[in-house]
Amino acid sequence: MLTIYLGIDVGSVSTNVVALDERGQVLTTVYLRTRGQPIRAIQEGLRQLVATLGKDISVAGVGTTGSGRSLAAVMVGADVIKNEITAHAVAASFAVPGVQTVLEIGGQDSKIIILRQGIVTDFAMNTVCAAGTGSFLDQQAARLGIPIEDFGRCALEARSPVRIAGRCAVFAESDMIHKQQQGHPLEDILAGLCEALVRNYLNNVGKGKEILPPVVFQGGVAANAGMRQAFNRALGTEVIVPEHYGVMGAFGAALLAREMQPKASAFRGFDLTEREFRTGGFECQGCANHCEVVELREGRQLLARWGDRCGKWSNAVAV
């Protein structure tokens, strides 16, 4: 019987599942597009995990994180529920002991985490503008007719990167088009875009932050060699990209479950992949807050409600 710890990170763009052994070593990872259907993504992630590890598995603990962590926690039976900052910081510290700065850029948002002596002392997030995130880079690669996998390699071939306005996704795209019309080589434009997006990140997300090495770069955008090179140049130090850079949130959630060492996990079993779950919601009229309450049901059974500030619905007994 294989004993594992599960970490599940449900985000707006991707849903990631990580399984660790009892020493904290990664056994397998699953990366899926959420596509607006987190329940299906979670179920498919668990199916793929079982297909890789087999059915002879004992789950000793489960952690959830990401914007959909509450939904995932109720659905699978989580022992630990943590925000993305905590999960990413824990994973980075495990992968790179002594890390002092974490740069994380995902599909639709980005964040910076400052650690000192293993403790998070500061952080910031950018969820307003998509410039520099994975979705923006995907769009620009598609517009230019190059596979996103070739984006970074092409940027590294630049001889004279052009200067592009990267303070806004709209301005960056229009400036790229202008540079194309002027006849600048594609590789110079891509390298210029990477440098612009790094400037945007450091001037906004990283504004006022003391960025000290070791610096860890994680999130899906860390796969882009052009972005890595731009960060290296801007910071004057080499950023470290951990092995599991794309699933660090799920990795951290699994590590937190392992650290907790629950006597008996609340995990509801892998057969939940075949159960019928659905979500719904309503606006509470009980007071001026008008909270948007979300509920999760399995068949006809109400499993949980959340989203209310006073606890009127979330603390009620499920019926």
Side-chain angles (χ1 to χ4, degrees):
M1 178 75 70
L2 177 64
T3 299
I4 65 171
Y5 292 91
L6 279 180
I8 302 173
D9 180 3
V10 182
S12 57
V13 173
S14 69
T15 293
N16 308 318
V17 181
V18 170
L20 307 180
D21 65 16
E22 294 177 278
R23 297 174 301 160
Q25 300 303 307
V26 175
L27 295 171
T28 189
T29 67
V30 179
Y31 174 94
L32 297 167
R33 294 279 184 171
T34 304
R35 302 188 191 282
Q37 302 183 76
I39 292 175
R40 288 189 181 182
I42 293 167
Q43 290 178 315
E44 178 58 27
L46 294 177
R47 286 192 196 99
Q48 291 190 21
L49 184 142
V50 172
T52 301
L53 298 180
K55 296 182 179 180
D56 195 18
I57 303 172
S58 172
V59 177
V62 182
T64 62
T65 189
S67 56
R69 59 184 177 273
S70 297
L71 168 65
V74 174
M75 180 178 166
V76 306
D79 305 296
V80 180
I81 309 170
K82 291 292 183 180
N83 60 59
E84 301 97 307
I85 299 298
T86 301
H88 279 279
V90 167
S93 295
F94 186 88
V96 183
V99 58
Q100 297 201 85
T101 308
V102 177
L103 317 174
E104 198 276 335
I105 306 181
Q108 288 189 335
D109 62 11
S110 54
K111 60 182 72 73
I112 186 170
I113 307 171
I114 306 299
L115 299 99
R116 298 295 182 263
Q117 298 179 338
I119 299 173
V120 175
T121 60
D122 197 6
F123 71 91
M125 299 182 68
N126 177 26
T127 57
V128 177
C129 180
T133 61
S135 58
F136 177 71
L137 293 173
D138 279 345
Q139 291 170 7
Q140 296 313 306
R143 188 180 65 80
L144 294 168
I146 62 171
I148 187 62
E149 295 81 10
D150 296 338
F151 187 112
R153 178 191 56 75
C154 188
L156 294 182
E157 296 174 357
R159 294 185 178 182
S160 181
V162 298
R163 187 169 182 85
I164 291 176
R167 63 187 179 278
C168 167
V170 176
F171 293 158
E173 181 170 337
S174 62
D175 206 14
M176 286 176 67
I177 294 172
H178 178 64
K179 293 299 193 295
Q180 283 180 274
Q181 292 171 336
Q182 288 184 320
H184 289 280
L186 177 61
E187 56 269 23
D188 288 352
I189 294 174
L190 293 179
L193 177 62
C194 290
E195 292 182 354
L197 299 180
V198 166
R199 284 197 306 273
N200 176 59
Y201 177 94
L202 296 176
N203 292 332
N204 290 284
V205 185
K207 185 177 181 180
K209 301 291 187 285
E210 186 181 22
I211 299 177
L212 299 177
V215 179
V216 170
F217 183 20
Q218 55 198 46
V221 175
N224 190 307
M227 291 292 288
R228 296 198 299 266
Q229 177 177 267
F231 269 119
N232 290 342
R233 289 175 175 173
L235 297 175
T237 186
E238 184 176 356
V239 297
I240 302 168
V241 178
E243 180 181 1
H244 303 290
Y245 62 86
V247 294
M248 293 295 272
F251 186 18
L255 287 169
L256 286 163
R258 172 176 169 268
E259 182 180 306
M260 181 184 179
Q261 291 279 327
K263 290 184 178 179
S265 176
F267 182 57
R268 302 181 68 219
F270 285 106
D271 62 342
L272 64 86
T273 59
E274 306 304 324
R275 301 177 198 167
E276 180 187 352
F277 295 92
R278 58 186 175 87
T279 56
F282 58 90
E283 184 178 281
C284 178
Q285 303 296 322
C287 72
N289 285 326
H290 294 288
C291 296
E292 293 183 348
V293 181
V294 181
E295 60 183 24
L296 176 67
R297 293 179 181 272
E298 180 182 343
R300 295 184 178 181
Q301 182 186 5
L302 174 64
L303 296 181
R305 289 188 174 116
W306 62 88
D308 52 333
R309 300 182 187 180
C310 67
K312 173 183 177 180
W313 299 100
S314 54
N315 292 335
V317 178
V319 295

